């Protein structure tokens, strides 16, 4: 898992971030990360982005994948490459249209699927002080997004130099790499070894 702090739900770029994340890593098999890391390279069963906004406070922007020890560093490098591509090259009109259609079609189920969900949606909106037209203009704001806006939010909100990484596994094997790609764990950033804590005492083994 790697990432940095994100935004809260009141940020004006929230809708653009949702769409950008769908294209990059939240759109399942259609996302760029899934296509590259899983489908093309076969390095992970699951790889995704989670750029949800926080409700009261900013929520961490996260990128998550699982891979074999020897391919962790290379898979991480591929994720960074895809993030770099969307920051510099943006998205295609076709990708944007597909992501927009998803959120427009899914809108009722996301917020108003049941009576309880509807009540919770409006209670939350009242609690955090969302604009009164937040949900009535939700789909319209999604539909008005452009490829230029998606590239702008990718550049402004995704900062690779600020990413913090958490890697859980066999550090010795992870550091060895796969022997085929010249990338090391240290290439992703400074490495601090932190032993797992005892589940009963929470003390870290030395």
């Amino acid at each position: 898992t790697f990432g940095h702090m994100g935004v809260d739900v009141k940020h004006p770029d929230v809708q653009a971030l949702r769409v950008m994340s769908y294209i990059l890593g939240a759109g399942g098999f259609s996302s760029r990360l899934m296509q590259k890391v899983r489908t093309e390279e076969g390095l992970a069963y699951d790889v995704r982005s989670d750029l949800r906004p926080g409700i009261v406070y900013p929520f961490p922007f996260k990128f998550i994948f699982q891979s074999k020890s020897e391919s962790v560093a290379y898979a991480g490098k591929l994720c960074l490459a895809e993030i770099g591509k969307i920051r510099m090259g943006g998205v295609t009109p076709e990708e944007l249209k597909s992501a927009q259609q998803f959120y427009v079609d899914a809108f009722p189920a996301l917020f108003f699927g049941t009576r309880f969900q509807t009540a919770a949606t409006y209670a939350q909106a009242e609690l955090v002080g969302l604009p009164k037209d937040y949900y009535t203009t939700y789909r319209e704001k999604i539909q008005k997004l452009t490829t230029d806006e998606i590239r702008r939010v990718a550049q402004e909100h995704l900062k690779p130099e600020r990413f913090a990484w958490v890697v859980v596994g066999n550090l010795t094997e992870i550091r060895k790499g796969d022997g085929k790609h010249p990338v090391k764990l240290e290439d992703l950033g400074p490495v601090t070894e932190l032993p797992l804590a005892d589940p009963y005492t929470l003390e870290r083994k030395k």
Side-chain angles (χ1 to χ4, degrees):
T1 300
F2 64 96
H4 55 58
M5 290 305 296
V7 302
D8 64 36
V9 74
K10 294 182 181 180
H11 197 286
D13 289 336
V14 161
Q15 308 301 12
L17 283 165
R18 292 184 197 275
V19 170
M20 186 268 290
S21 180
Y22 183 89
I23 296 169
L24 179 57
F29 284 99
S30 67
S31 73
R32 292 185 178 188
L33 289 176
M34 185 70 83
Q35 286 290 321
K36 184 64 178 181
V37 180
R38 172 173 168 157
T39 304
E40 293 183 20
E41 298 286 342
L43 298 180
Y45 179 78
D46 178 36
V47 54
R48 64 188 186 275
S49 61
D50 183 356
L51 310 187
R52 289 175 293 172
I55 301 303
V56 179
Y57 303 105
F59 195 75
F61 284 169
K62 296 180 290 186
F63 296 87
I64 305 159
F65 69 89
Q66 301 88 36
S67 190
K68 293 180 180 179
S69 294
E70 60 267 26
S71 58
V72 165
Y74 181 54
K77 182 180 179 181
L78 292 177
C79 290
L80 288 178
E82 291 303 316
I83 292 169
K85 288 177 183 177
I86 204 167
R87 292 184 73 248
M88 301 309 297
V91 301
T92 67
E94 293 76 19
E95 287 177 318
L96 175 58
K97 183 178 180 180
S98 177
Q100 288 171 314
Q101 195 64 51
F102 168 80
Y103 279 108
V104 168
D105 291 345
F107 174 76
L110 289 174
F111 304 106
F112 308 105
T114 65
R115 292 180 180 179
F116 177 82
Q117 188 181 27
T118 299
T121 293
Y122 284 118
Q124 179 176 283
E126 187 70 21
L127 177 66
V128 302
L130 294 180
K132 298 299 183 183
D133 66 348
Y134 183 83
Y135 291 105
T136 57
T137 61
Y138 183 97
R139 285 172 289 189
E140 179 183 354
K141 290 177 180 177
I142 292 284
Q143 291 170 320
K144 286 184 176 180
L145 291 171
T146 66
T147 54
D148 286 340
E149 287 178 282
I150 300 303
R151 180 169 57 184
R152 176 187 64 78
V153 298
Q155 292 176 348
E156 292 183 7
H157 292 278
L158 297 180
K159 303 293 184 181
E161 70 277 7
R162 291 171 49 196
F163 285 152
W165 295 71
V166 176
V167 180
V168 180
N170 186 322
L171 186 58
T172 300
E173 293 301 315
I174 291 172
R175 277 184 161 145
K176 286 181 181 178
D178 61 9
K180 298 182 293 184
H181 302 96
V183 55
K184 299 179 181 179
L185 191 63
E186 284 76 7
D187 295 335
L188 305 178
V191 177
T192 300
E193 185 174 355
L194 190 63
L196 292 176
D198 184 282
Y200 296 103
T201 66
L202 297 184
E203 294 181 358
R204 297 196 178 274
K205 302 176 182 179
K206 297 181 180 180

